[in-house]
Structure formats: C-alpha cells, structure tokens
Amino acid sequence: MPKSAASKKRPARSKRKKSSKRSSGNGFFRGLVKRVLLWTLVVFTFLFLTYLGYQDYTVRQLFEGKRWSLPAHVYASPLELYSGYAIGASEFENILEALHYREDPRLSSEASYIRTASRITLRTRHFRFWDGEQPSQRLRLVFSGNQLERIEPVGRSDSLALLRLDPVQIGSFYPALKEDRILVQLKQVPHSLIQALLATEDRDFYHHHGISVKAVLRALLANIRAGGIVQGGSTITQQLVKNFYLTSERSLWRKINEAFIALILEARYDKNEILEAYLNEIYLGQDGVRAIHGFGLASQYYFSRSLDELKLPHLALLVALVRGPNHYDPRRWPDRALKRRNHVLDAMEQEGYISRKQADAAKRQPLDVSRDGHWASSRYPAFLDLVRRQLRKEYRDKDLTSAGLKIFTTLDIRVQRALESTVTRTIERLEKRRGVAKLETASIITRREGGEIVALVGGRNPRQAGYNRALDAVRQIGSLIKPVVYLTALEDPDRYTITTRLNDTAIHLKSGGKIWAPKNYDHKEHGAVPLHTALVRSLNLATVHLGLDIGIARTAKTLRSMGVSRPLELYPSLLLGAAALSPMEVTQLYQTLAGDGFATPLRAIQAVIARDGAPLQRYPLTVRQAVDPAAAYITNTILQEVMRIGTGRSVYSMIPKSLNVAGKTGSTDKLRDSWFAGFSGDYLGVVWVGRDDNRPARLTGSSGALKIWGAVMKKISRQPVDLIPPEEIEMVWVDPARSLRADITCPGAVRYPYIKGSAPKRYAPCARPPQDKTRSWFSDW
Amino acid sequence: MCPATAGQNAFLVQRLVTSMRYFRFLLLLMLALLQFACAEMQFVQKEAVHTPKPEREPALREPTVTVKPVSPPPAVTIQPHVEQAPVRQAAPAEQSGAPSQAAVPPAVLALMNEAEASRTQGNFDTAVAKLERALRIQPRNAALWHELASVRLQQHKPRLAEDLARKSNTLARHDRALKRKNWELIARARHLQGNEEGAQEAEQKAQAF
C-alpha cells in the first residue's frame, strides 16, 4: 500500500508544475493558482485520509481478533508415579531436568526440587491437562534402589497414591514464522517489571501521545554526550509498532509509517492495552529456530519460572534484554548482561521506584539463569511426523500451527530414549559383524494393551528428520504372516488343532503363467509335522499346504479383520509373506495377537485441547473382537514356543526366560529384509532392518531385527506374557508322536490347549478312557 | 463351602465305615459329591479332582498346572509343547504380572474411586479418562475393563461396551461374579442394539455363572 500511495502522488506533483508555468504574472492565473492549490490540498487530504484509514485498518487487524498466532505444543505422555513404580532417584532426577525443574533447596518457586541421597523433595508445576487442572504440590519422594517407595505430601504424614507429573514438551508445530510466546495479562505482571520498563524505555509513557519529542531530544543529547548511540528515543508505543513489522529495514518511509501508526494506536487504544500488547510482543531471545517473544515465555526460558515468581533482579534482567536479546544474552555474555541489568536497577532508583538499599541488594544478586532453556521444536522427528499426519486429517494447517493447540501424545520418553540408543548401537554392531553397509531400520513399540505408541524410530539416526521408514517403508513381510495363516486354520477346530499333522513336502504351483516352487529355509522336506512345530520352525512348505487348504482368501480376510486395510493380491505367495506392509501396519496386525484377539487401533495422540483449555478431541481406548480369542490363545502359545525353542530362541541370551515372550521372525528373499514382531507382558515391538536400495542386508529376522528387539525389551519390559485360556479352551494330555489322547501316566505325554471338543478322540494304549477307569473301580470288588 | 460338605460327608463316612462292604461305594459317592460341590472351582482344570486343594496358586501361569498325581507316573509334566522346559511354579517376579485378582495397587484404587465419583456426577468422559489411566498402570485388570464397558454403555455406546466387556471376560480368569456381570452388560448392550436374540443368549450365559 505505501507504494500505491506514492505512485498516486506523482500526478499531483506534475499538475502543480503545469500550473506554475501558466501563472506568468496574470490576475486570472493567480485565481487559477489558488484553485489548483485548493484542489491539490483536497487531493492531498484525501490521499492522506486514505493512508490513515489504511493504517488504522492495519492497526485494528493487528490488535483485535486473534492478535498473536501461537504455535501448537506437543507433549509426551506424563509420568505417573506410585509406590512400587520402577524408577531410581537418579533417573527421576533426569526426568526433572528434562522438565526444566530447578535445583533449589528452598523450593522457592514451582518446578523446583532438592535431592538428598535417596529422597527428592519437589514442588511440582501447575499444569492444565486435557482432563483437568493439576495444581502445584509440595511432595517428598522416597526411593529405595531402583524403586519408588512412597510419595509423601510435605507436612503431612499420610502418603499419596498417585502423582502425575507435568509432561515433557517434545515439539511444536509452527507457522512459517517460528515465534513462540506465553501470553500474559497486564494484571498478572509484577509491578516491578512495569516500573523497570518505564524507567529504562519510556519515562513519559503515561503522558505522551505515541511519540515523545522530549524523549527524542533527551536521547539526542545523551548520544552526543556519549559520542555514540546509548539511548533510543522511541516510545514503548513505537517499539511495539516496530516489533509488529516483520522486516528490520531502516528507511525514512518506515520511520514515518511507524510514527503515524503509533499515533493511531494511541488514539484508538488505552495505554494499558498498548502496554499489555508490548509485554507479549517484544522479542527477548532466540532458542535455535524458535524466537522467544514476550515476558511470559522469556521468564520460563531464562529462569524456568513463571513471571509472577520472579524477584526484582530477575525482572531487571528481562528488561535489560529489551535493548538487544542476543547482545545481552545472559547465558553467553553474563558480564554484559549483568552490567545492563544493574543499569536498569539504577534507572529504577533514579525514578524513585525503588530505594537505594533495594537497588544495591538486587545488584549483589547473581544472574540466576537456568542452565538450559532449550525446548526442542522437534526432538523426536519420526514420532512427531506421525502426530502431524494424523492431525492434518482433522485440522486445517493454519489452526494446527497458529491456534495454540496443546497436543497430548502417547510417547513415553523413557522407552523412546531406550529405543533410540539401542537402535543406533545395534545397527553399527550389525554392520561391523556382517560386513554390510548402509543398514537402515524402523522400530515401533506400543503398549501391549490399548495400542498406544510409546516409541517410534524411523531410521538409524533417530534425530534426523526425513524418510520415515516406520510409516513409509513398505516391504515384504516374509514369515511374519505365518501366524495369520495358522490362526485362520485354528479358527476351524473341526479341521485343525495345534497337533494336526501338516505335509511339509515339495509343491509346484502355476501362478501367473510361472511355476512357483517354494522351498524351506534349509532346502529340505520334513514330511508330516505337527501344526505347532511347522510354525515354530517356520516351515514354508507346510505353511503353503495349510494355507492352500484353508484358502488364500480366508487368510486375507483374517488379515483384514486384524487391522490391515491395504489391498492385497491373492496369490499363493501371499502365504509366505510376499505382501508388502509398513512397520506400522505390521504393528497393527500384531497388536491384535498381543490383545488376545481383540483389535485396537494404534494411537499416537491422547487428546487435543484448545488454547483456552477447552477439550477439542479425544482419542479414547477402543477394542473390537477381531478373531476367535480361543484360536488367538493357541496361536500365542505357539509363538511363545517359537521364542523358547524355535527361530527366536536366541532372544533368551538377552532377556530372562521368565518373561516368556511371544513373537515371530521374518526374512525375505536373499535376506533383503530382517523382521521381528513380538510382545512381552507389557510391550509389543516391531522391528525392521534392511537397506533403502532393497539390496541384501544379509540378515535373517533372528540375526538382525531380533537383536534390536531383545536389547530394547531387556531395558523396558518388566511383565511376563501371561496368557489366560478362554473358557472354550481345554488342556488335554496327548501322545505327541501319534496324535492320540493320553493321560498323565503315559511316558512322554504333553498337555496342549484345544478348543473344547477338538482334541484327539482315540486313546493311546497307555491311557484308558475315563469310563473304563470307573468301570474298573466298580469291577474289582 | 467345600470343607463344610466334606465335614458332613466325613460324619456319614464314620457311621458307615463299619460296613466295609459298602465302603468303596460310599467313597466313590463322596468323591462324586465333592466334585459336584467343588465344580465351581474346577471349570478350567479338570485334573483338580485328584487334588481338591484350594486354588490359591499364583495367578500367573498358563493352564499348564502341573498336577501332582497320586502315584508319581513317569510322565513328563511340562508346559504345553515345551520339550524340556523345567516345571515352574510362577516366580515371585511374575506374580506382579497377574493383577486380575491379585492385590490392586492403591494408585489404581484411587483412580477407580475418582472415576466412580465422576460417573455419579455424570462426567462420563472424565470417568473414562481416569479408567484409562488406571488401565495404563494395570492393563490386565479385568475389573477395570468392565468398569470402562459400563461407562461406555451409560454413554450409549453399546457396541464398544460389548467389546470391552468381552475383553474383560478374556482376562477374568476364575472371577465368576465378574463374568456374570460382563454377560449381563453384554445382554443390555445387545438389547440396546436391537439384537434381542443375542441379548437372550447373553442372559443365559450370565445365569450360568
């Protein structure tokens, strides 16, 4: 707009030139000149009014409606502590540091703590969760070893059952401009801050009309005296206007603009409104890509406290930063910052806001800034990518980045950290040991029940944003599909039980004009094998026979009901995992097994609330019975056997046997992909290892992916798999060699779970049917 | 209730023990009675007939209870399809993994109480949130799943309620009272969905417990 105003001026000027030519000493012309001048004046006034009107409009746009765009903040799942929770004092201290709690023996503010050996006393931070406010509390946590023993409210003798800490912020969604702020209201702001501000920046604030001639002259004088620029003549109003503009170019035109806008601001709005806007707008620091705006956020950024908890020297330091947040950065240039802060204190004393004694006392205080104010804008890029993708389906981009949403996710910081360190270390080791390069990986860990994603890694370097393999690497899943084939068969107990004999014999199929002749991994045939053994040893031929017998379409149907929605081609090779899925889809699939046959949609978000705390969206826990729980139970018992004696047995060199985990390895042709999917009592994990260019990784499921899985489960898992047989299940003794019903007296008899009525009916010679037994009781007396 | 029955039977036995001729018959009869009376406890483990000891075993285990037979047979007592896994009584560490009937930690109790309070005030969403937090602490507590189902039913989400109640059933182990409550809830949920036949079926199942 300034441009168009300028271009309109030119014709006016040329008119004037013309008119001056014609006025060559003639009365008539003199009248003409008058008229032209009058018209010029009218045109000028009109243009000026238009300009004012436009600037007025701009000012109102800036001031009214949504004045600031606030980025969305994304939080990890909060830590819920209770007596018996497995966490040591040191680990808890780490978490407090991640939450920017300050060590402070007096607990003088929220978010402070003090540790004495195995006790941590803390004052928690007030926080507004999606399901309600949580006030600040003073608590003492007593640890013993790696366990939290009890939580005691300070000053009371009873103990607290449960403590929910405020959550760690793991990222923010910004618009193009990465400004961050915490809005404050004038009435919340300490008086001393306002006084310090007025004393140093604008002494006549409450008396001028936007620009202060007095201030300009005073600044001029001071600058001449000092021989350089030491003082600015801008009023607070002018500084506010300057901050509203995005560019920092210094032109006369802009200065004029600013002056007019300042005048309009003053005319339209109350002094206090202007001051409040200033307090929230002013730029006070830089945290990586994030710009710190306003005193509310600056207080958190520099002192890890809220504004109303700051003392005089803190407030003076914040005001000192107004002049140049980078030049006076107290973390980088503490001496400069201290000098400037003391200057602010002096100015306050001069203006009579504080006494000499107060000023001196404040000057003796150290800067007291927190060690690190950094909040990563994207600490876990792959997980945040997932969150953003999900939210993009439901929110407009503008709302997502500037409406100040608070997004509560399911991420568990401790599990995520464990996964990240494991992934990085294990991949390097695998490369060295196998002599392969450029290995990549994707790993997802969820809670066994409920499907909450607690950790996610999209590549070997978890800090790096980019190709998110956890969501986008769609790769053949190999033997990971086998449990689905066996589960489908077990759902038909009249035909298949855990001990049914399967044919592990060569097979040739015509498929798409080509002959398909699958082989076992050991290139052998194993004849008739019990169903569970075929899965435990991951036999391809037996699986193909079984899958063809029950029908490929039925297996595909089970896949769909277990949560895989990608369309799949119904070739026989589907039975051996020719289908390509992403790690995320595999996780969804195995979540149904881990959930005892109940499908649960995977979730990365718990809830979203608006800037004012109003709940916008909840993502609650849902389940759907997807497959027969009895068949799922039998399948899971076989998957435990896979880990005990089958392809996954090497895991028990890493984790204790008592965890009794269930899982399945997967490898593809030429060892291009190494997969593992499995669960312990508390977590489900899916790991893929391979190369982006799809060349051989030279790793099987157990020599690659399982190494990561086992190492991370060792760190995070504490609950054993505890399968509960559904009512339809009966445990029956059988003679495994001959598939005959046995009893406990038979040598080598084993108990297997069967769906009621499906166990072998014929008895082995060593066992007598129950009715015979009763008869024998009656017969010999 | 079992010991009482046993006591009465013991009295009968004393009187009739004089007649050795009927002793064996009576013993059988007694055993049959005992079995009948204790049937409630044996619905999973048929072998328990041999050893009518209380089912206080650690909850964590597969149904592979290693039964001690009267005369030690040469059979290998192992977990299903384990070739040589040692016979294991659940280790103490494993007990914590079986919360369904075991001690409910105070944290979960506190959340359950808060959920109940929210629910009586009609704040169903808050109640759901509290129960979900409790489930995060004790994910396999069947009672929590039931509570969640019940709130969801109050919120007129019968389909979800039914699935949640079914989930509760798969985790309920020997808690017959809870299973009955779940089936009753399923009956109501089906009724709300207009599935009268299914509702009746569920009611019958409820009565079986």
mmCIF file with all atom_site columns, all heavy atoms in Angstrom, chain B residues 149-162:
data_model
loop_
_atom_site.group_PDB
_atom_site.id
_atom_site.type_symbol
_atom_site.label_atom_id
_atom_site.label_alt_id
_atom_site.label_comp_id
_atom_site.label_asym_id
_atom_site.label_entity_id
_atom_site.label_seq_id
_atom_site.pdbx_PDB_ins_code
_atom_site.Cartn_x
_atom_site.Cartn_y
_atom_site.Cartn_z
_atom_site.occupancy
_atom_site.B_iso_or_equiv
_atom_site.pdbx_formal_charge
_atom_site.auth_seq_id
_atom_site.auth_comp_id
_atom_site.auth_asym_id
_atom_site.auth_atom_id
_atom_site.pdbx_PDB_model_num
ATOM 1   N N   . ALA B 1 149 ? -16.407 -50.607 30.244 1.00 0.00 ? 149 ALA B N   1
ATOM 2   C CA  . ALA B 1 149 ? -17.556 -51.054 29.451 1.00 0.00 ? 149 ALA B CA  1
ATOM 3   C C   . ALA B 1 149 ? -18.840 -50.448 29.999 1.00 0.00 ? 149 ALA B C   1
ATOM 4   O O   . ALA B 1 149 ? -19.700 -49.966 29.246 1.00 0.00 ? 149 ALA B O   1
ATOM 5   C CB  . ALA B 1 149 ? -17.638 -52.580 29.473 1.00 0.00 ? 149 ALA B CB  1
ATOM 6   N N   . SER B 1 150 ? -18.921 -50.442 31.310 1.00 0.00 ? 150 SER B N   1
ATOM 7   C CA  . SER B 1 150 ? -20.149 -49.978 31.944 1.00 0.00 ? 150 SER B CA  1
ATOM 8   C C   . SER B 1 150 ? -20.359 -48.474 31.715 1.00 0.00 ? 150 SER B C   1
ATOM 9   O O   . SER B 1 150 ? -21.472 -48.027 31.436 1.00 0.00 ? 150 SER B O   1
ATOM 10  C CB  . SER B 1 150 ? -20.057 -50.368 33.416 1.00 0.00 ? 150 SER B CB  1
ATOM 11  O OG  . SER B 1 150 ? -20.828 -49.553 34.188 1.00 0.00 ? 150 SER B OG  1
ATOM 12  N N   . VAL B 1 151 ? -19.259 -47.682 31.790 1.00 0.00 ? 151 VAL B N   1
ATOM 13  C CA  . VAL B 1 151 ? -19.403 -46.250 31.499 1.00 0.00 ? 151 VAL B CA  1
ATOM 14  C C   . VAL B 1 151 ? -19.786 -46.035 30.034 1.00 0.00 ? 151 VAL B C   1
ATOM 15  O O   . VAL B 1 151 ? -20.626 -45.203 29.708 1.00 0.00 ? 151 VAL B O   1
ATOM 16  C CB  . VAL B 1 151 ? -18.090 -45.491 31.818 1.00 0.00 ? 151 VAL B CB  1
ATOM 17  C CG1 . VAL B 1 151 ? -18.218 -44.026 31.458 1.00 0.00 ? 151 VAL B CG1 1
ATOM 18  C CG2 . VAL B 1 151 ? -17.726 -45.645 33.277 1.00 0.00 ? 151 VAL B CG2 1
ATOM 19  N N   . ARG B 1 152 ? -19.166 -46.803 29.159 1.00 0.00 ? 152 ARG B N   1
ATOM 20  C CA  . ARG B 1 152 ? -19.460 -46.674 27.731 1.00 0.00 ? 152 ARG B CA  1
ATOM 21  C C   . ARG B 1 152 ? -20.923 -47.012 27.441 1.00 0.00 ? 152 ARG B C   1
ATOM 22  O O   . ARG B 1 152 ? -21.528 -46.416 26.554 1.00 0.00 ? 152 ARG B O   1
ATOM 23  C CB  . ARG B 1 152 ? -18.544 -47.586 26.912 1.00 0.00 ? 152 ARG B CB  1
ATOM 24  C CG  . ARG B 1 152 ? -17.094 -47.139 26.865 1.00 0.00 ? 152 ARG B CG  1
ATOM 25  C CD  . ARG B 1 152 ? -17.000 -45.700 26.493 1.00 0.00 ? 152 ARG B CD  1
ATOM 26  N NE  . ARG B 1 152 ? -15.685 -45.305 26.016 1.00 0.00 ? 152 ARG B NE  1
ATOM 27  C CZ  . ARG B 1 152 ? -15.383 -44.062 25.663 1.00 0.00 ? 152 ARG B CZ  1
ATOM 28  N NH1 . ARG B 1 152 ? -16.291 -43.107 25.756 1.00 0.00 ? 152 ARG B NH1 1
ATOM 29  N NH2 . ARG B 1 152 ? -14.187 -43.753 25.234 1.00 0.00 ? 152 ARG B NH2 1
ATOM 30  N N   . LEU B 1 153 ? -21.465 -47.963 28.194 1.00 0.00 ? 153 LEU B N   1
ATOM 31  C CA  . LEU B 1 153 ? -22.875 -48.304 28.000 1.00 0.00 ? 153 LEU B CA  1
ATOM 32  C C   . LEU B 1 153 ? -23.753 -47.126 28.431 1.00 0.00 ? 153 LEU B C   1
ATOM 33  O O   . LEU B 1 153 ? -24.721 -46.776 27.766 1.00 0.00 ? 153 LEU B O   1
ATOM 34  C CB  . LEU B 1 153 ? -23.220 -49.560 28.796 1.00 0.00 ? 153 LEU B CB  1
ATOM 35  C CG  . LEU B 1 153 ? -24.575 -50.176 28.442 1.00 0.00 ? 153 LEU B CG  1
ATOM 36  C CD1 . LEU B 1 153 ? -24.579 -50.649 26.996 1.00 0.00 ? 153 LEU B CD1 1
ATOM 37  C CD2 . LEU B 1 153 ? -24.882 -51.351 29.358 1.00 0.00 ? 153 LEU B CD2 1
ATOM 38  N N   . GLN B 1 154 ? -23.350 -46.516 29.549 1.00 0.00 ? 154 GLN B N   1
ATOM 39  C CA  . GLN B 1 154 ? -24.105 -45.341 30.012 1.00 0.00 ? 154 GLN B CA  1
ATOM 40  C C   . GLN B 1 154 ? -24.031 -44.213 28.993 1.00 0.00 ? 154 GLN B C   1
ATOM 41  O O   . GLN B 1 154 ? -24.915 -43.380 28.919 1.00 0.00 ? 154 GLN B O   1
ATOM 42  C CB  . GLN B 1 154 ? -23.535 -44.859 31.350 1.00 0.00 ? 154 GLN B CB  1
ATOM 43  C CG  . GLN B 1 154 ? -24.171 -45.545 32.538 1.00 0.00 ? 154 GLN B CG  1
ATOM 44  C CD  . GLN B 1 154 ? -23.658 -44.968 33.832 1.00 0.00 ? 154 GLN B CD  1
ATOM 45  O OE1 . GLN B 1 154 ? -22.507 -45.155 34.165 1.00 0.00 ? 154 GLN B OE1 1
ATOM 46  N NE2 . GLN B 1 154 ? -24.503 -44.257 34.551 1.00 0.00 ? 154 GLN B NE2 1
ATOM 47  N N   . GLN B 1 155 ? -22.950 -44.183 28.248 1.00 0.00 ? 155 GLN B N   1
ATOM 48  C CA  . GLN B 1 155 ? -22.793 -43.147 27.221 1.00 0.00 ? 155 GLN B CA  1
ATOM 49  C C   . GLN B 1 155 ? -23.478 -43.541 25.911 1.00 0.00 ? 155 GLN B C   1
ATOM 50  O O   . GLN B 1 155 ? -23.251 -42.907 24.885 1.00 0.00 ? 155 GLN B O   1
ATOM 51  C CB  . GLN B 1 155 ? -21.308 -42.912 26.937 1.00 0.00 ? 155 GLN B CB  1
ATOM 52  C CG  . GLN B 1 155 ? -20.596 -42.158 28.025 1.00 0.00 ? 155 GLN B CG  1
ATOM 53  C CD  . GLN B 1 155 ? -19.163 -41.854 27.623 1.00 0.00 ? 155 GLN B CD  1
ATOM 54  O OE1 . GLN B 1 155 ? -18.408 -42.749 27.275 1.00 0.00 ? 155 GLN B OE1 1
ATOM 55  N NE2 . GLN B 1 155 ? -18.794 -40.583 27.647 1.00 0.00 ? 155 GLN B NE2 1
ATOM 56  N N   . HIS B 1 156 ? -24.237 -44.606 25.951 1.00 0.00 ? 156 HIS B N   1
ATOM 57  C CA  . HIS B 1 156 ? -24.943 -45.098 24.763 1.00 0.00 ? 156 HIS B CA  1
ATOM 58  C C   . HIS B 1 156 ? -23.986 -45.489 23.659 1.00 0.00 ? 156 HIS B C   1
ATOM 59  O O   . HIS B 1 156 ? -24.147 -45.095 22.507 1.00 0.00 ? 156 HIS B O   1
ATOM 60  C CB  . HIS B 1 156 ? -25.954 -44.060 24.264 1.00 0.00 ? 156 HIS B CB  1
ATOM 61  C CG  . HIS B 1 156 ? -26.925 -43.685 25.331 1.00 0.00 ? 156 HIS B CG  1
ATOM 62  N ND1 . HIS B 1 156 ? -27.918 -44.534 25.742 1.00 0.00 ? 156 HIS B ND1 1
ATOM 63  C CD2 . HIS B 1 156 ? -27.020 -42.584 26.096 1.00 0.00 ? 156 HIS B CD2 1
ATOM 64  C CE1 . HIS B 1 156 ? -28.598 -43.958 26.728 1.00 0.00 ? 156 HIS B CE1 1
ATOM 65  N NE2 . HIS B 1 156 ? -28.065 -42.779 26.961 1.00 0.00 ? 156 HIS B NE2 1
ATOM 66  N N   . LYS B 1 157 ? -22.952 -46.224 24.049 1.00 0.00 ? 157 LYS B N   1
ATOM 67  C CA  . LYS B 1 157 ? -22.065 -46.790 23.034 1.00 0.00 ? 157 LYS B CA  1
ATOM 68  C C   . LYS B 1 157 ? -22.096 -48.302 23.211 1.00 0.00 ? 157 LYS B C   1
ATOM 69  O O   . LYS B 1 157 ? -21.117 -48.916 23.674 1.00 0.00 ? 157 LYS B O   1
ATOM 70  C CB  . LYS B 1 157 ? -20.650 -46.257 23.209 1.00 0.00 ? 157 LYS B CB  1
ATOM 71  C CG  . LYS B 1 157 ? -20.556 -44.770 22.888 1.00 0.00 ? 157 LYS B CG  1
ATOM 72  C CD  . LYS B 1 157 ? -19.153 -44.255 23.033 1.00 0.00 ? 157 LYS B CD  1
ATOM 73  C CE  . LYS B 1 157 ? -19.142 -42.786 22.627 1.00 0.00 ? 157 LYS B CE  1
ATOM 74  N NZ  . LYS B 1 157 ? -17.900 -42.126 22.945 1.00 0.00 ? 157 LYS B NZ  1
ATOM 75  N N   . PRO B 1 158 ? -23.230 -48.931 22.880 1.00 0.00 ? 158 PRO B N   1
ATOM 76  C CA  . PRO B 1 158 ? -23.397 -50.354 23.206 1.00 0.00 ? 158 PRO B CA  1
ATOM 77  C C   . PRO B 1 158 ? -22.402 -51.272 22.508 1.00 0.00 ? 158 PRO B C   1
ATOM 78  O O   . PRO B 1 158 ? -21.973 -52.273 23.062 1.00 0.00 ? 158 PRO B O   1
ATOM 79  C CB  . PRO B 1 158 ? -24.830 -50.651 22.751 1.00 0.00 ? 158 PRO B CB  1
ATOM 80  C CG  . PRO B 1 158 ? -25.199 -49.570 21.801 1.00 0.00 ? 158 PRO B CG  1
ATOM 81  C CD  . PRO B 1 158 ? -24.404 -48.369 22.207 1.00 0.00 ? 158 PRO B CD  1
ATOM 82  N N   . ARG B 1 159 ? -22.048 -50.920 21.290 1.00 0.00 ? 159 ARG B N   1
ATOM 83  C CA  . ARG B 1 159 ? -21.121 -51.784 20.548 1.00 0.00 ? 159 ARG B CA  1
ATOM 84  C C   . ARG B 1 159 ? -19.775 -51.854 21.235 1.00 0.00 ? 159 ARG B C   1
ATOM 85  O O   . ARG B 1 159 ? -19.228 -52.926 21.474 1.00 0.00 ? 159 ARG B O   1
ATOM 86  C CB  . ARG B 1 159 ? -20.928 -51.201 19.143 1.00 0.00 ? 159 ARG B CB  1
ATOM 87  C CG  . ARG B 1 159 ? -21.492 -52.016 18.057 1.00 0.00 ? 159 ARG B CG  1
ATOM 88  C CD  . ARG B 1 159 ? -20.720 -51.698 16.792 1.00 0.00 ? 159 ARG B CD  1
ATOM 89  N NE  . ARG B 1 159 ? -20.092 -52.895 16.293 1.00 0.00 ? 159 ARG B NE  1
ATOM 90  C CZ  . ARG B 1 159 ? -20.664 -53.673 15.387 1.00 0.00 ? 159 ARG B CZ  1
ATOM 91  N NH1 . ARG B 1 159 ? -21.853 -53.369 14.910 1.00 0.00 ? 159 ARG B NH1 1
ATOM 92  N NH2 . ARG B 1 159 ? -20.055 -54.752 14.962 1.00 0.00 ? 159 ARG B NH2 1
ATOM 93  N N   . LEU B 1 160 ? -19.249 -50.655 21.526 1.00 0.00 ? 160 LEU B N   1
ATOM 94  C CA  . LEU B 1 160 ? -17.958 -50.581 22.208 1.00 0.00 ? 160 LEU B CA  1
ATOM 95  C C   . LEU B 1 160 ? -18.054 -51.229 23.577 1.00 0.00 ? 160 LEU B C   1
ATOM 96  O O   . LEU B 1 160 ? -17.165 -51.969 24.000 1.00 0.00 ? 160 LEU B O   1
ATOM 97  C CB  . LEU B 1 160 ? -17.528 -49.107 22.325 1.00 0.00 ? 160 LEU B CB  1
ATOM 98  C CG  . LEU B 1 160 ? -16.219 -48.829 23.037 1.00 0.00 ? 160 LEU B CG  1
ATOM 99  C CD1 . LEU B 1 160 ? -15.067 -49.585 22.403 1.00 0.00 ? 160 LEU B CD1 1
ATOM 100 C CD2 . LEU B 1 160 ? -15.924 -47.328 23.033 1.00 0.00 ? 160 LEU B CD2 1
ATOM 101 N N   . ALA B 1 161 ? -19.182 -50.968 24.264 1.00 0.00 ? 161 ALA B N   1
ATOM 102 C CA  . ALA B 1 161 ? -19.376 -51.547 25.600 1.00 0.00 ? 161 ALA B CA  1
ATOM 103 C C   . ALA B 1 161 ? -19.302 -53.067 25.540 1.00 0.00 ? 161 ALA B C   1
ATOM 104 O O   . ALA B 1 161 ? -18.672 -53.710 26.377 1.00 0.00 ? 161 ALA B O   1
ATOM 105 C CB  . ALA B 1 161 ? -20.704 -51.091 26.176 1.00 0.00 ? 161 ALA B CB  1
ATOM 106 N N   . GLU B 1 162 ? -19.950 -53.619 24.524 1.00 0.00 ? 162 GLU B N   1
ATOM 107 C CA  . GLU B 1 162 ? -19.946 -55.083 24.414 1.00 0.00 ? 162 GLU B CA  1
ATOM 108 C C   . GLU B 1 162 ? -18.530 -55.622 24.202 1.00 0.00 ? 162 GLU B C   1
ATOM 109 O O   . GLU B 1 162 ? -18.120 -56.581 24.859 1.00 0.00 ? 162 GLU B O   1
ATOM 110 C CB  . GLU B 1 162 ? -20.855 -55.520 23.254 1.00 0.00 ? 162 GLU B CB  1
ATOM 111 C CG  . GLU B 1 162 ? -20.794 -57.025 23.061 1.00 0.00 ? 162 GLU B CG  1
ATOM 112 C CD  . GLU B 1 162 ? -21.778 -57.569 22.026 1.00 0.00 ? 162 GLU B CD  1
ATOM 113 O OE1 . GLU B 1 162 ? -22.693 -56.836 21.621 1.00 0.00 ? 162 GLU B OE1 1
ATOM 114 O OE2 . GLU B 1 162 ? -21.603 -58.741 21.651 1.00 0.00 ? 162 GLU B OE2 1
#
